[in-house]
């Protein structure tokens, strides 16, 4: 999920930006399919939407801090072991409120002073916010989205006019000037602008990241092996040097002893 701050985007600008983003993301899916990689058709599931900042902040706190499953044991009505006369619980453990996300139990779970503003995304939720949501983690799609919405050389260069003339349309350019990248949330971790660009710059997507991890682990293993081997060699040379020195001393003493 990428977070942007917008400044009075017009309807025409909004439509033009969405159009160019969809075209670019579909090209990524087509390129992956041409390379023989699994095509999950992520382009159609990536959504660019304007959200109400206050409602989003409350929803994030509910998702983060409100755990109704831990408050009320669930009974499956389709389970044969569930008695037919059993009453399905519709109240929380204390019996003073319903357990849906608009209940008093949910309100109490997120209204504490200590956790009210403790969500990781709270510093980024300021002013009008635009969300770009992804159905799955894909650095390749993320890089393409940053290239369209927030280009910056050299990692995310702007599309060439010959390859993508629609992106250079005045309406698109006017809308992009009103978007400001704030950060991202990937796999539950919040990243600032630099961290977001790092995720988008991973070469080869997830496969490239796995390759980097394997190479790093192999390097660590090789380093440990070299360290242990060098320690063993040092010990061997020390012992051998000491043994040679003692043998030389014994030979010197025996040669100095007078013969009778």
């Amino acid at each position: 999920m990428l977070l942007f701050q917008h400044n009075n985007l017009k309807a025409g600008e909004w439509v033009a930006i969405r159009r160019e983003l969809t075209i670019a993301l579909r090209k990524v899916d087509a390129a992956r399919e041409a390379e023989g990689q699994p095509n999950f058709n992520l382009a159609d599931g990536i959504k660019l939407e304007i959200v109400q900042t206050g409602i989003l902040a409350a929803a994030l706190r509910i998702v983060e801090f409100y755990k109704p499953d831990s408050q009320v044991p669930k009974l499956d009505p389709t389970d044969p072991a569930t008695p037919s006369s059993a009453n399905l619980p519709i109240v929380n453990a204390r019996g003073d409120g319903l357990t849906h996300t608009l209940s008093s139990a949910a309100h109490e779970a997120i209204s504490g002073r200590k956790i009210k503003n403790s969500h990781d995304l709270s510093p980024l939720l300021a002013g009008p916010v635009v969300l770009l949501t992804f159905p799955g983690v894909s650095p390749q799609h993320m890089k393409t989205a940053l290239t369209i919405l927030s280009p910056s050389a050299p990692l995310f260069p702007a599309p060439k006019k010959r390859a993508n003339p629609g992106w250079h349309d005045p309406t698109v350019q006017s809308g992009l000037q009103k978007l400001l990248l704030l950060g991202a949330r990937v796999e539950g971790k919040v990243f600032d602008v630099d961290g977001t660009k790092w995720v988008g710059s991973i070469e080869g997507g997830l496969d490239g990241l796995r390759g980097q991890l394997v190479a790093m682990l192999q390097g660590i293993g090789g380093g440990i092996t070299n360290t242990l081997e060098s320690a063993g060699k040092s010990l061997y040379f020390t012992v051998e040097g000491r043994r040679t020195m003692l043998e030389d001393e014994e030979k010197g003493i025996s040669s100095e002893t007078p013969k009778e």
Side-chain angles (χ1 to χ4, degrees):
M1 180 173 65
L2 297 181
L3 285 86
F4 295 86
Q5 190 177 64
H6 73 92
N7 183 18
N8 297 327
L9 274 170
K10 297 180 180 179
E13 298 169 345
W14 187 245
V15 171
I17 291 174
R18 278 182 166 177
R19 180 193 67 230
E20 296 303 320
L21 179 62
T22 302
I23 293 174
L25 293 174
R26 286 177 178 174
K27 289 181 180 179
V28 176
D29 284 342
R32 288 174 56 88
E33 186 176 4
E35 294 174 358
Q37 300 181 12
N39 184 15
F40 300 107
N41 196 21
L42 294 180
D44 294 336
I46 298 175
K47 303 297 182 182
L48 183 67
E49 298 175 333
I50 296 177
V51 296
Q52 294 290 337
T53 307
I55 295 177
L56 175 63
L60 289 173
R61 291 200 301 271
I62 289 176
V63 172
E64 186 74 18
F65 302 114
Y66 179 52
K67 308 297 181 183
D69 294 339
S70 62
Q71 297 182 10
V72 180
K74 287 187 175 181
L75 294 178
D76 187 2
T78 62
D79 188 357
T82 302
S84 58
S85 59
N87 293 325
L88 297 180
I90 59 173
V91 296
N92 60 17
R94 295 179 299 174
D96 58 357
L98 298 175
T99 59
H100 56 77
T101 55
L102 298 179
S103 64
S104 59
H107 175 72
E108 292 175 1
I110 68 171
S111 61
R113 293 183 179 179
K114 293 183 179 180
I115 66 174
K116 187 173 183 180
N117 296 318
S118 62
H119 195 277
D120 294 338
L121 288 176
S122 296
L124 303 180
L125 299 180
V129 174
V130 173
L131 292 184
L132 179 65
T133 56
F134 297 79
V137 179
S138 175
Q140 292 171 314
H141 289 81
M142 189 173 179
K143 180 178 182 179
T144 301
L146 290 174
T147 302
I148 297 297
L149 301 177
S150 181
S152 60
L155 295 178
F156 308 100
K160 300 294 183 180
K161 190 172 184 179
R162 179 177 298 180
N164 193 350
W167 186 85
H168 294 270
D169 186 79
T171 305
V172 177
Q173 293 301 310
S174 176
L176 292 178
Q177 292 177 3
K178 301 176 182 179
L179 288 178
L180 175 64
L181 178 63
L182 299 177
R185 185 178 185 182
V186 182
E187 292 292 333
K189 302 293 183 181
V190 177
F191 295 88
D192 58 4
V193 175
D194 293 335
T196 302
K197 292 181 178 180
W198 172 80
V199 175
S201 63
I202 297 175
E203 295 294 336
L206 290 179
D207 294 335
L209 185 60
R210 294 188 185 99
Q212 294 179 15
L213 179 60
V214 171
M216 182 179 66
L217 293 176
Q218 290 177 346
I220 293 175
I224 294 175
T225 302
N226 293 333
T227 301
L228 296 176
E229 185 178 0
S230 61
K233 288 181 178 179
S234 299
L235 179 61
Y236 172 77
F237 288 135
T238 301
V239 173
E240 284 296 313
R242 181 60 178 169
R243 184 176 63 82
T244 304
M245 184 177 64
L246 293 176
E247 290 178 353
D248 293 340
E249 290 179 355
E250 290 179 357
K251 290 180 181 179
I253 294 174
S254 60
S255 61
E256 293 176 357
T257 303
K259 296 182 180 180
E260 295 180 357

